[in-house]
Amino acid sequence: MTDSDSPPYHQDNPTDGHYGRRRVLGTAAGVVGCAGLCAASWPFLDSLNGPHSAKGRQTTFEPLDIDLSNLAPGSHRQLTWGNLPVAVTHRTKEQIKALTQPTLLAQLRDPTSRSRQQPADCRNPWRSLVPDYGVYVGICTHLGCVTRFRNLENDPPAGGFFCGCHGSWFDGAGRVLKNVPAAYNLPVPPATLLAPTMLRLGRSAADPAFTMASIERM
Ligand code: FES
C-alpha cells in the first residue's frame, strides 16, 4: 500500500498560522466524536488487556520478515504484527534531511528520544536502523487509538502520523509534537536488517535486551 492508497483524513498543519485555532476546533470535534472513535478502537484496546503480560499488553511476538525491495521512496506500507498495526516508511532524501531541521526539532517534545520507546540502535534522528526506512507501531501514546501516516512534506514538516481521537501529531520519525495530548514518541519495535532490503521484526541485534516489554508507553 502506498500513501496514495490511503483514505483522506484531517489536514491540519502545525506550521500554518491558523493551525492553533483549527486544532482547538479539531479537539472540540474530537471530544464529540470520541464516543464513536473510542468505541471503534475498543476491540484493539481490549486486546491489549487480559493474559498477555503483567503490564496488561501483548509483549511476545513471532518474528516477522519484511521485504522492503518493492517499497518506493516516498511511500509507506501498513501491516499487522501480532495485534499491532505497524507502519513501514521509505523516506526520500528530502524527508531524511527534514528530520534534522532545527525548525522541526523545536516543535518536538522529545526530539532526542530520551524515553525508552525504541531500541538503542534506533535512538537517532530517524529513530530507525537506517535513515531510509522507518518502522513504527501505529498506536497513539495518549489513549491507544490507531494513528494514520501522511506523507506530505510540510504537514508536519517531515510528514508524519496523526491521531484523530484527540488530535495528537507525530513527525515522520514518530516523535511527538509539543502541545498535543500524547506525551511519548511512537514505539519502535526491535528489528534487525538481514539484508539492505530485508528487515526482521522481533529482535534488535545491537540491543538484544530491548523487547516490546521494554517500551515505556504503548
Ligand atoms: S488517543 Fe488521544 S490523541 Fe490519540
Side-chain angles (χ1 to χ4, degrees):
M1 171 184 279
T2 66
D3 188 56
S4 61
D5 297 320
S6 301
Y9 50 93
H10 196 58
Q11 296 188 9
D12 272 346
N13 182 348
T15 62
D16 183 333
H18 300 294
Y19 175 69
R21 181 167 58 85
R22 288 211 304 269
R23 195 163 62 191
V24 169
L25 293 173
T27 300
V31 171
V32 174
C34 181
L37 288 170
C38 291
S41 63
W42 173 249
F44 173 77
L45 293 171
D46 188 46
S47 73
L48 298 180
N49 296 321
H52 300 300
S53 76
K55 290 183 177 179
R57 54 181 164 87
Q58 182 177 357
T59 55
T60 57
F61 297 83
E62 291 294 318
L64 177 66
D65 290 352
I66 304 173
D67 182 2
L68 303 168
S69 62
N70 57 1
L71 192 62
S75 66
H76 80 286
R77 182 186 301 157
Q78 295 288 149
L79 53 89
T80 302
W81 187 37
N83 62 357
L84 295 178
V86 171
V88 183
T89 67
H90 187 177
R91 301 185 179 100
T92 63
K93 294 281 183 281
E94 292 73 24
Q95 288 172 325
I96 293 171
K97 185 178 178 182
L99 291 174
T100 60
Q101 294 304 302
T103 50
L104 171 63
L105 300 181
Q107 298 180 58
L108 305 177
R109 184 190 288 252
D110 183 9
T112 57
S113 302
R114 294 186 308 275
S115 296
R116 193 150 163 81
Q117 292 289 96
Q118 64 288 309
D121 49 358
C122 293
R123 192 182 175 203
N124 52 48
W126 316 280
R127 301 187 71 236
S128 54
L129 294 173
V130 293
D132 302 61
Y133 298 103
V135 182
Y136 308 99
V137 176
I139 298 298
C140 181
T141 55
H142 179 219
L143 293 178
C145 289
V146 176
T147 61
R148 308 189 69 172
F149 182 74
R150 57 183 305 139
N151 202 14
L152 302 180
E153 295 293 333
N154 297 307
D155 198 11
F161 300 84
F162 177 67
C163 177
C165 282
H166 313 101
S168 287
W169 273 104
F170 306 81
D171 79 346
R175 296 175 295 188
V176 67
L177 271 70
K178 296 175 180 173
N179 304 315
V180 299
Y184 288 80
N185 294 339
L186 292 181
V188 176
T192 300
L193 268 177
L194 304 178
T197 57
M198 182 61 73
L199 187 75
R200 175 169 292 171
L201 298 188
R203 182 176 181 275
S204 164
D207 187 4
F210 184 91
T211 69
M212 294 301 284
S214 307
I215 293 170
E216 285 189 43
R217 178 66 179 243
M218 184 166 68

